[in-house]
Amino acid sequence: MAAQLYGVIGYPVTPLNDGGIDTAALTTVIERLVAAGVHAVAPLGSTGELAYLTEDEFDTCVDASIAAVAGRLPVLVGVSDLTTARTVRRARYAAQAGADAVMVAPVSYWKLSEREITTHFSAVSDAVDVDIVAYNNPATSGVDMSPELLVGMFENIEHVTMVKESTGDLTRMLRIAKLSDGRLPFFNGSNPLVLDALRAGAAGWCTAAPNLRAQPCLDLYSAVTTGELNTAQVLYDDLKPLLEFIVAGGLATTVKAGLELLGVPAGEPRRPLLPLDEAGRAELRRLLSL
């Protein structure tokens, strides 16, 4: 199954309304990603505001997302939570609903030891029969997993088969490749680092950018994989201002605003997140050449 995940993995926003998940709008958002040609769809990541959803909303989003993809592409579902029990529940739900893989970031108020992190992932692995992407993003989760820990879990926990590395530190990706003798696929989760990461052998790029500019993202991945590095550099230089903007402004906030500017209703982010301000919208409009 792990070989099915590669390339540009598109992360949809989660459209919200007063009643919870706007499933019709979510279907539209996902259909745009599928039609654009992304290689997989990953609902309920940071872009999808997973941390702000109730359990019922999580379930609704999983069901609607898998229905929208309709088997055309692999689906990677984010299932992270503060507790192991809820992470396991979410992982089980996603797997039973038809997800091809789940993504787990250990999220914690208290600093977790490596023993606690390993036990957390083992519990998820024991609960599901789908692959697990170990997601390292200490800036949002508060937990930093070293390359040594990630490779150790890959070697010792059955379903941990991939890593999403989002620190923006290329040396970590290179270390993962070296420690695993190239056996552990790693995905770039740091938008501004994408060109260097793909050149370094990343299996793919986990990104919200295709919601707004899908074709340049796909062309960039294709150019690197076919060795057209000069073309890749030109594409990256063109994309970089947008990539930096959406990260700096918060992915859910900026991508939802961008979709609205493109005529795709996506709702507002859930508070405490706020909609993009007018200055930000003006800059985003410029970056999207609208």
Side-chain angles (χ1 to χ4, degrees):
M1 213 300 294
Q4 294 182 24
L5 284 185
Y6 70 93
V8 178
I9 300 179
Y11 281 63
V13 298
T14 302
L16 301 167
N17 56 32
D18 291 340
I21 307 296
D22 186 337
T23 55
L26 176 60
T27 298
T28 298
V29 169
I30 290 176
E31 184 58 41
R32 291 178 76 253
L33 290 171
V34 174
V38 298
H39 301 101
V41 173
L44 295 163
S46 302
T47 308
E49 298 179 76
L50 171 60
Y52 300 101
L53 303 183
T54 67
E55 294 304 283
D56 285 345
E57 288 171 337
F58 172 90
D59 295 352
T60 297
C61 189
V62 169
D63 292 339
S65 297
I66 290 174
V69 174
R72 292 173 289 176
L73 295 173
V75 177
L76 167 64
V77 175
V79 299
S80 307
D81 187 78
L82 273 168
T83 68
T84 298
R86 277 198 296 269
T87 303
V88 165
R89 191 209 74 81
R90 290 174 172 186
R92 280 180 173 152
Y93 190 92
Q96 290 168 1
D100 297 282
V102 295
M103 183 172 65
V104 177
V107 184
S108 186
Y109 177 86
W110 301 106
K111 182 177 180 179
L112 298 180
S113 67
E114 290 195 353
R115 181 171 66 93
E116 289 167 329
I117 294 168
T118 300
T119 302
H120 182 70
F121 275 92
S122 294
V124 179
S125 181
D126 290 344
V128 299
D129 288 321
V130 297
D131 286 355
I132 297 169
V133 177
Y135 177 23
N136 190 45
N137 189 2
T140 56
S141 71
V143 178
D144 192 0
M145 295 183 286
S146 69
E148 288 77 10
L149 174 60
L150 291 165
V151 173
M153 292 196 298
F154 166 67
E155 292 175 339
N156 295 295
I157 300 176
E158 180 181 3
H159 292 107
V160 175
T161 60
M162 294 166 278
V163 167
K164 177 184 174 184
E165 172 55 60
S166 295
T167 59
D169 183 351
L170 186 64
T171 63
R172 288 174 176 248
M173 298 184 190
L174 297 174
R175 183 73 174 153
I176 289 168
K178 182 178 180 180
L179 289 170
S180 69
D181 294 323
R183 294 176 298 117
L184 174 54
F186 61 89
F187 292 78
N188 173 61
S190 172
N191 278 314
L193 189 68
V194 57
L195 181 56
D196 288 338
L198 291 175
R199 284 172 170 169
W205 176 20
C206 299
T207 177
N211 288 285
L212 305 182
R213 294 192 65 196
Q215 197 58 53
C217 296
L218 294 162
D219 290 345
L220 172 58
Y221 173 76
S222 178
V224 175
T225 56
T226 57
E228 301 172 70
L229 297 184
N230 289 336
T231 299
Q233 185 68 58
V234 171
L235 289 163
Y236 173 73
D237 290 342
D238 176 58
L239 272 172
K240 185 179 178 182
L242 176 65
L243 298 179
E244 293 178 338
F245 180 86
I246 63 175
V247 171
L251 291 171
T253 294
T254 55
V255 174
K256 282 189 170 182
L259 285 168
E260 291 284 351
L261 291 173
L262 293 170
V264 182
E268 295 184 355
R270 177 162 285 172
R271 295 191 176 188
L273 302 179
L274 292 174
L276 193 63
D277 61 22
E278 285 306 313
R281 288 173 65 86
E283 176 62 10
L284 186 53
R285 187 178 288 108
R286 184 188 70 80
L287 291 170
L288 296 175
S289 300
L290 297 175

